[in-house]
Amino acid sequence: MRLAAIALALWAAEAPAEGFRVLEGHGGPVHDVAVSADGTRALTGSFDNSVGLWDLETGGVTWFDGHEAAVKTVIFAGPGRAASAGDDFAIEVWDLAAGARLHRLTGHKAQIKDLAVSPDGTELASASWDGTVGLWDLATGSQTAWLTGHESGVNDVAYAGGRIFTASVDGTIRSWDRSTGTPERILARHGFGVTCLLINAAEGWLVYGATDGGTRVIDLVTGEILADLTLDRRPVLDIAANPDMTQIAVGDGEGHIMVVDTATWDIVHDFRAAKRGPIWALAYDATGETVLAGGIDDTAHFWPIGAKQGGPIIGTTERGFLKDPATMSNGERQFRRKCSICHSLADDGIRRAGPSLAGLFGRKAGSYPGYLYSDTVAQADIVWDETTIDRLFDLGPDHYIPGTKMPMQRITSPEDRADLIAFLKDNTEG
Ligand code: HEC
């Protein structure tokens, strides 16, 4: 287990207006965010495979590495702990003070979309696209139950009043008895995949969002619809509540953040936060006056609710993989589309899912300093050159170096491979 260097976050370096702070340091889009109950720390999970723990007072960040694919969900998990999960089907439980892994929980057979912690802080629930929810003992890391019954992937999970509630791609919201792990009832049949849910157990309501844009509040016991907040925006991707749950914020695939008063279910603010791309991560800070949002950018953005200035901020900088293909050579096009999200070409210190390709030609496999390789690549007897890179994408990484964490991907056209290799040769020499 490697704890990467403590880097300094850039506080509001280019903030467009007061209060619009950023958490900067990831090398890929931020998929999930969480703020600690006392408001002093935040967690971010990214496409760059890492988890960031941010000190909101000093701006310092500690990186937690260990995931072998994009991180989709992060959560504070009882005193001194956090948990994260995503596309590598595994859950990492972290000891925050030690900066190290406590447990790696395996058993899911597809990506994990959400995690929840029981109110007493002892149990973790994981919602996966394998159609199950795993229950885990946080202290020992042992698995205690699988909740099975959904007909498709599970997107979200929450604890409330001795029960567990789940939202699924199969369009239903279900409840389960926490102590026995048995299904109780189908609380809602939405018809389209339900992406997220949020519960206020004390007030007895549940709000959910769906892929068709459906955003509804239902009675936690009867399932009766209490309010319909649906706008013509799809999909709904995340819902967060302020600490006293008097307000919720809803993020969607078109980049809006809609803020709703939960006493009246009136929309009190509604703004476009992203010029391009979705808002798939939202969390309120401890004051309830600011939301932390994540989208296509490598940075997470703090948003003062109701701020009049600022405009769309997320997705305004040009990303390499979105560059106009007509302006590029075929080799560059191959790289931008197929590689640039995970690899940089220079020694720029940018965190990406894969190692920098700077100085690639003549470099021994698994030797870029400071990068946490899989064992199989670290020990591979390969030196990167025209021939070995060609074989890597002719056969596909999984066949050329079985067990690598680089995703399966073949480039079948010899011409495309040759153009890509020529581009890499010209652009990785530094
Ligand atoms: C989704 C992320 C992702 C994409 C896309 C991706 N890679 Fe990788 N790549 C990785 C990861 C992760 C590793 C480290 C593998 C390991 O340790 O098992 C890696 C390793 C490598 C290595 C070995 C580097 C070394 O230091 O040994 C090369 C070469 C490479 N990638 C080239 C490419 C090229 C060229 C493309 C585009 C055609 C590409 N990769 C696309 C994630 C990616």
Side-chain angles (χ1 to χ4, degrees):
M1 173 61 23
R2 174 181 61 115
L3 173 62
I6 309 261
L8 258 198
L10 299 179
W11 276 110
E14 294 178 36
E18 201 175 328
F20 286 82
R21 297 178 310 176
V22 295
L23 301 179
E24 190 165 84
H26 277 296
V30 175
H31 273 296
D32 197 22
V33 293
V35 178
S36 64
D38 66 3
T40 61
R41 295 189 290 182
L43 287 169
T44 49
S46 164
F47 201 98
D48 71 8
N49 297 7
S50 68
V51 173
L53 172 69
W54 308 79
D55 182 322
L56 296 180
E57 278 148 16
T58 66
V61 56
T62 309
W63 299 109
F64 290 80
D65 288 315
H67 279 293
E68 301 200 336
V71 179
K72 290 282 173 67
T73 171
V74 290
I75 191 168
F76 286 95
R81 286 187 304 237
S84 56
D87 285 0
D88 62 0
F89 313 171
I91 302 157
E92 302 277 11
V93 182
W94 307 102
D95 179 329
L96 296 179
R101 170 192 289 158
L102 265 179
H103 307 295
R104 180 177 173 84
L105 314 178
T106 57
H108 276 299
K109 296 187 174 64
Q111 64 159 316
I112 298 163
K113 296 283 287 184
D114 190 49
L115 296 171
V117 174
S118 62
D120 61 7
T122 61
E123 189 176 80
L124 185 73
S126 52
S128 166
W129 272 23
D130 65 13
T132 72
V133 169
L135 301 186
W136 315 81
D137 183 316
L138 269 167
T140 64
S142 57
Q143 210 245 322
T144 53
W146 292 118
L147 309 186
T148 59
H150 274 295
E151 286 152 26
S152 193
V154 187
N155 279 322
D156 208 342
V157 56
Y159 285 86
R163 294 192 169 81
I164 292 172
F165 293 81
T166 52
S168 166
V169 179
D170 72 13
T172 65
I173 295 174
R174 300 182 192 220
S175 69
W176 313 74
D177 183 310
R178 182 192 159 190
S179 54
T180 61
T182 47
E184 285 187 334
R185 56 186 304 213
I186 295 181
L187 201 61
R189 289 181 193 275
H190 184 72
F192 290 86
V194 184
T195 48
C196 51
L197 57 76
L198 184 131
I199 295 173
N200 184 336
E203 303 277 330
W205 53 257
L206 178 158
V207 55
Y208 71 84
T211 51
D212 66 333
T215 314
R216 286 181 173 163
V217 188
I218 59 174
D219 185 290
L220 194 56
V221 179
T222 65
E224 180 199 349
I225 297 173
L226 304 176
D228 196 334
L229 308 171
T230 306
L231 298 177
D232 188 21
R233 299 167 183 172
R234 57 188 67 97
V236 174
L237 293 171
D238 201 13
I239 304 177
N242 65 351
D244 62 9
M245 294 197 132
T246 53
Q247 205 176 69
I248 58 167
V250 180
D252 64 52
E254 299 173 24
H256 304 92
I257 298 177
M258 170 176 83
V259 178
V260 177
D261 179 329
T262 63
T264 59
W265 300 113
D266 288 334
I267 299 173
V268 289
H269 300 287
D270 186 30
F271 49 95
R272 186 98 190 250
K275 181 170 172 221
R276 184 156 48 189
I279 300 295
W280 50 44
L282 277 179
Y284 275 82
D285 74 355
T287 68
E289 286 163 12
T290 303
V291 280
L292 179 58
I296 197 168
D297 287 357
D298 298 357
T299 44
H301 298 254
F302 280 101
W303 222 288
I305 289 177
K308 293 283 176 270
Q309 36 351 11
I313 290 173
I314 297 175
T316 51
T317 50
E318 189 183 349
R319 297 204 62 117
F321 61 88
L322 295 174
K323 204 170 144 182
D324 178 7
T327 64
M328 295 183 275
S329 69
N330 184 42
E332 178 171 9
R333 205 152 53 227
Q334 298 295 320
F335 176 77
R336 298 278 166 226
R337 274 188 18 218
K338 298 176 180 167
C339 324
S340 69
I341 183 108
C342 296
H343 292 288
S344 97
L345 295 167
D347 279 314
D348 49 16
I350 295 177
R351 305 178 63 76
R352 290 264 156 81
S356 165
L357 300 181
L360 181 65
F361 289 75
R363 192 166 105 189
K364 191 191 159 307
S367 67
Y368 190 76
Y371 181 78
L372 185 70
Y373 288 93
S374 63
D375 292 344
T376 174
V377 168
Q379 287 154 20
D381 189 15
I382 295 172
V383 173
W384 296 117
D385 59 21
E386 284 88 339
T387 314
T388 50
I389 299 171
D390 186 72
R391 294 200 64 202
L392 179 65
F393 292 103
D394 184 11
L395 301 173
D398 49 324
H399 284 104
Y400 189 47
I401 319 176
T404 178
K405 59 178 171 162
M406 176 147 65
M408 185 162 60
Q409 138 154 269
R410 286 186 63 209
I411 301 175
T412 49
S413 149
E415 212 178 296
D416 286 348
R417 289 200 304 275
D419 289 348
L420 171 65
I421 289 165
F423 172 80
L424 290 175
K425 189 133 205 220
D426 286 347
N427 289 279
T428 55
E429 279 168 7

